[in-house]
Amino acid sequence: PACINGLYGRYQRIAARIGDALASLSAADASPFCLPLGAVEAGMRQSVGGKAATLADLKRSTTLAVPDGFVITAAAGRFFLEHNGLLLSLVRQLRSYLVQDQVPEEDVLAEVRRTILAAPLPPALAATIREVAGPWFDKPRENGLAVRSSAVSEDSRLHSFAGQFATVLNVVHLEDLVQAVKQVIASAFSGRNISYRLNAGLDPLEYDLAILCLEMVAAESSGTLFTRDPNDPDSGRMLISAVFGLGELAVAGSGSADIYRPDRFGEKSVLTSIADKEQRMLPRPEGGTVVAQLPASMSSQAVLSFMQLSELVEAGMVIERKFGYPQDIEWAYDDQERLIILQSRPFRMASGSAAGRVRQDSPVLLEGGMAASRGEGIGRAVLV
């Protein structure tokens, strides 16, 4: 209707005036678009998101090693989306689905992604990113940047958006950083994220995503650490998965990983499962990553030594005690054998054992191994 189209035009004019006013604010009055990780203070979570706030806290208040980096704040992302009515365009594309609590069709979401990736950054935001990120690219560096999400509602005790936002690894050029930032922003409008927000009772179009840019670690090994075994939280053990190279294969579960279940207090022996590992992920000098064949001599070799396991357990206990809740931690050992903490977030767990109930009237075809996820499953079992 004509009246609705008139409202869209009015909205665009108001949005443009607000954008101009924000761009003209002094640095003291405006919400910052970029912050060095070392400048993130307590109480900034609403601006920098959970991931960045937690790492900055660890960097500020513990002796644990955390990569250097900077944060592009949620305010910067909202400014980008409001610029030239971009958010209004996205609402137009998605509203007919969202009013019915439906996830938009894939071709609609693909068009949303193309719209975001094609949109230029507002000049004020582009200048700020160049100012903060420029030193990372002005001189040759051994390591690029990992560009990751850090949402305000992410990594909390109420909600987990694990794996739902884009991550771009080993960005080595400034122009690639700009595109990586837009990729992460676009992932806030993916079908996966919209579905999660709808089912969690969250506004699917509320944008609260900051972007964390961390220096890549020259990882000899990396992986995840749960300070309590999610499948058997009352066992008094942690759960550690480890791979050679970058940890994306372990985090995504797309590669074989060694599994360690050490006692939280070092009173019992470590339960260990050494995998036959075939691949590792490595950074490429020209940017990005590559999955390479693992040398045969390393395939059945344990990723972690006893000393490294002990150090990981100690670090896990430090982080859990600090935040007062079991933690899901991403870590890496660099080429100097230093333990680097890449992420830590709380995770919810159920009490009790993961032992399953077996139908007594059916033969047992397979037993042992580890549970991939707690809960019950119904349906045809398929050998993978």
Side-chain angles (χ1 to χ4, degrees), residues 249-317:
L249 296 181
V251 173
S254 55
S256 298
D258 288 357
I259 302 296
Y260 306 88
R261 298 179 63 226
D263 182 81
R264 286 164 49 85
F265 303 102
E267 296 173 355
K268 307 175 191 172
S269 61
V270 179
L271 301 180
T272 302
S273 174
I274 305 301
D276 288 327
K277 301 168 286 293
E278 298 179 351
Q279 299 175 319
R280 59 179 167 179
M281 182 178 285
L282 301 171
R284 299 189 305 170
E286 64 272 26
T289 61
V290 62
V291 176
Q293 195 72 17
L294 194 66
S297 60
M298 299 174 66
S299 176
S300 58
Q301 176 183 326
V303 173
L304 295 173
S305 68
F306 178 79
M307 292 297 293
Q308 289 173 325
L309 278 170
S310 299
E311 187 177 21
L312 278 167
V313 168
E314 183 178 352
M317 292 301 294

Side-chain angles (χ1 to χ4, degrees), residues 4 10 15 61 80 119 130 173 203 237 267 322 333 346 350:
I4 297 295
R10 179 64 62 88
S61 60
F80 166 68
R130 282 196 299 270
H173 300 293
D203 182 350
R237 293 185 180 274
E267 296 173 355
K322 174 171 178 55
Y333 274 100

Side-chain angles (χ1 to χ4, degrees), residues 225-234 236-239 264 320 326-327 347 349:
L225 182 160
F226 290 88
T227 58
R228 291 182 185 267
D229 185 344
N231 292 309
D232 198 358
D234 297 332
R237 293 185 180 274
M238 297 184 176
L239 177 66
R264 286 164 49 85
E320 183 183 285
Q327 297 289 302
F347 76 95
M349 59 183 185

Side-chain angles (χ1 to χ4, degrees), residues 42-67:
M44 286 188 175
R45 183 187 178 97
Q46 291 298 313
S47 181
V48 302
K51 196 172 294 173
T54 298
L55 283 181
D57 194 354
L58 292 176
K59 197 177 186 74
R60 185 173 59 246
S61 60
T62 73
T63 59
L64 296 169
V66 173

Side-chain angles (χ1 to χ4, degrees), residues 133-371:
W136 291 87
F137 304 110
D138 285 345
K139 57 184 179 180
R141 287 177 177 264
E142 291 185 8
N143 305 318
L145 288 173
V147 182
R148 315 182 69 186
S149 66
S150 181
V152 174
S153 52
E154 185 181 16
D155 296 349
S156 69
R157 289 179 61 177
L158 294 178
H159 301 291
S160 173
F161 289 76
Q164 294 187 35
F165 299 116
T167 294
V168 185
L169 297 178
N170 197 32
V171 176
V172 298
H173 300 293
L174 183 57
E175 57 272 21
D176 294 334
L177 173 63
V178 171
Q179 200 64 10
V181 167
K182 290 193 284 186
Q183 283 181 250
V184 178
I185 291 174
S187 68
F189 302 95
S190 69
R192 196 174 182 184
N193 186 45
I194 289 174
S195 176
Y196 181 90
R197 295 186 75 94
L198 286 172
N199 283 284
L202 300 172
D203 182 350
L205 293 181
E206 180 185 3
Y207 184 86
D208 64 355
L209 190 65
I211 299 168
L212 178 60
C213 303
L214 289 179
E215 183 175 14
M216 291 280 294
V217 175
E220 292 294 309
S221 61
S222 46
T224 61
L225 182 160
F226 290 88
T227 58
R228 291 182 185 267
D229 185 344
N231 292 309
D232 198 358
D234 297 332
S235 66
R237 293 185 180 274
M238 297 184 176
L239 177 66
I240 299 172
S241 64
V243 296
F244 290 114
L246 300 177
E248 197 69 11
L249 296 181
V251 173
S254 55
S256 298
D258 288 357
I259 302 296
Y260 306 88
R261 298 179 63 226
D263 182 81
R264 286 164 49 85
F265 303 102
E267 296 173 355
K268 307 175 191 172
S269 61
V270 179
L271 301 180
T272 302
S273 174
I274 305 301
D276 288 327
K277 301 168 286 293
E278 298 179 351
Q279 299 175 319
R280 59 179 167 179
M281 182 178 285
L282 301 171
R284 299 189 305 170
E286 64 272 26
T289 61
V290 62
V291 176
Q293 195 72 17
L294 194 66
S297 60
M298 299 174 66
S299 176
S300 58
Q301 176 183 326
V303 173
L304 295 173
S305 68
F306 178 79
M307 292 297 293
Q308 289 173 325
L309 278 170
S310 299
E311 187 177 21
L312 278 167
V313 168
E314 183 178 352
M317 292 301 294
V318 166
I319 296 172
E320 183 183 285
R321 283 194 291 263
K322 174 171 178 55
F323 295 115
Y325 203 75
Q327 297 289 302
D328 169 7
I329 298 165
E330 291 181 23
W331 56 269
Y333 274 100
D334 67 8
D335 52 4
Q336 304 299 314
E337 296 190 0
R338 293 182 307 159
L339 173 61
I340 314 291
I341 303 300
L342 305 176
Q343 176 179 311
S344 187
R345 60 184 170 212
F347 76 95
R348 291 170 292 172
M349 59 183 185
S351 61
S353 170
R357 295 175 297 175
V358 180
R359 286 182 51 175
Q360 298 302 317
D361 58 344
S362 300
V364 175
L365 303 180
L366 182 70
E367 62 181 333
M370 291 185 59

Side-chain angles (χ1 to χ4, degrees), residues 24-46:
S24 66
L25 288 175
S26 68
D29 295 329
S31 178
F33 287 155
C34 293
L35 283 171
L37 190 60
V40 173
E41 300 174 355
M44 286 188 175
R45 183 187 178 97
Q46 291 298 313

